[in-house]
Amino acid sequence: MGRGGRTKDRDVSERRCIVTGETAPKAGLIRFVVGPENEVFPDVLEKLPGRGMWVTATRDALDKAGKGQFSKSAKAPVKVRDDLADEVDRQLARRVVDLIALARKAGSAVTGFEKVKGWLAGGENVRALFQASDGSERGKTKLWTPEGARYFGCLTGQELGLAFGRQTAVHAALASGGMSNRVVEEAAKLKGLREIDGGEGTVTEGIETT
């Protein structure tokens, strides 16, 4: 058992947000480190060396972190780029797309209205339903999220299409097992970052297509 009666595994999986001061599972936070030139860098993959600073995955929290919280946490003046939130958005979107692409190659993800509907109606063990934020609302309402699955509408049609090697995609489903939990974890961060006042905001940057 760790301090406070918590297990060691639980201690490892939780981090304290430097903005809210709250301790929460790190799956809902984004890690940052200070580079050699005292510039703050997002560490979406959580692999960069150095002491990590964790921020809740919302644009509001990121904006507040850039207005003094990073320096306070680092106990030294640091440089924070003006478009830090947009850069985090871009990196997270790329991460989610790459993970979905890997799931597709493993046969654990499908796209296209009929294929997705088939999975949902055929009793497939679906872990997540993705629908493009800019897709037809009429078409999206014809599909449903199975009990116990997660719904995500945080990717654009172009971003979702990249995961399947096509120009655009509106509907996609991810099967349980494999890396599905990792996809859901990263997609939840992106969803939190792109939500504005309870709804999903406009994607201003997106991810590179080349």
Side-chain angles (χ1 to χ4, degrees):
M1 300 289 286
R3 290 177 296 176
R6 293 184 299 178
T7 63
K8 183 177 180 181
D9 287 344
R10 185 173 175 81
D11 287 335
V12 170
S13 65
E14 292 188 346
R15 296 293 187 272
R16 179 178 176 274
C17 173
I18 65 172
V19 175
T20 67
E22 297 178 354
T23 298
K26 72 174 186 177
L29 292 88
I30 301 167
R31 185 177 188 265
F32 295 84
V33 297
V34 178
E37 302 299 323
N38 294 324
E39 182 177 353
V40 173
F41 289 95
D43 182 22
V44 171
L45 298 181
E46 300 176 10
K47 293 182 178 181
L48 294 177
R51 174 178 168 274
M53 297 181 289
W54 298 80
V55 180
T56 302
T58 66
R59 186 166 287 266
D60 181 61
L62 286 180
D63 289 341
K64 290 179 179 178
K67 296 176 181 178
Q69 290 301 318
F70 281 126
S71 293
K72 183 178 180 180
S73 178
K75 298 180 180 180
V78 296
K79 302 174 185 176
V80 182
R81 52 189 293 177
D82 293 336
D83 63 343
L84 181 64
D86 289 334
E87 176 61 18
V88 174
D89 182 294
R90 186 191 68 78
Q91 290 190 25
L92 272 177
R94 170 58 71 180
R95 177 65 172 158
V96 173
V97 166
D98 288 346
L99 288 173
I100 295 175
L102 289 174
R104 171 183 62 83
K105 293 176 182 178
S108 299
V110 295
T111 189
F113 180 84
E114 293 299 332
K115 287 184 179 179
V116 172
K117 184 179 180 180
W119 271 29
L120 299 177
E124 289 284 347
N125 194 5
V126 175
R127 181 70 177 88
L129 172 65
F130 286 83
Q131 299 201 87
S133 58
D134 52 355
S136 167
E137 292 301 321
R138 181 179 180 183
K140 290 191 288 185
T141 57
K142 295 180 180 179
L143 297 178
W144 63 95
T145 307
E147 183 177 356
R150 292 288 301 273
Y151 175 83
F152 295 103
C154 53
L155 291 173
T156 66
Q158 183 182 35
E159 291 169 338
L160 194 57
L162 283 173
F164 292 91
R166 56 178 63 186
Q167 187 172 0
T168 61
V170 178
H171 318 282
L174 181 71
S176 297
M179 65 179 64
S180 59
N181 286 339
R182 188 61 175 164
V183 176
V184 167
E185 181 179 305
E186 299 298 333
K189 293 180 184 179
L190 183 64
K191 179 181 179 181
L193 194 62
R194 289 184 171 180
E195 282 183 340
I196 300 175
D197 296 331
E200 290 183 9
T202 301
V203 180
T204 56
E205 293 293 328
I207 57 180
E208 297 177 1
T209 59
T210 57

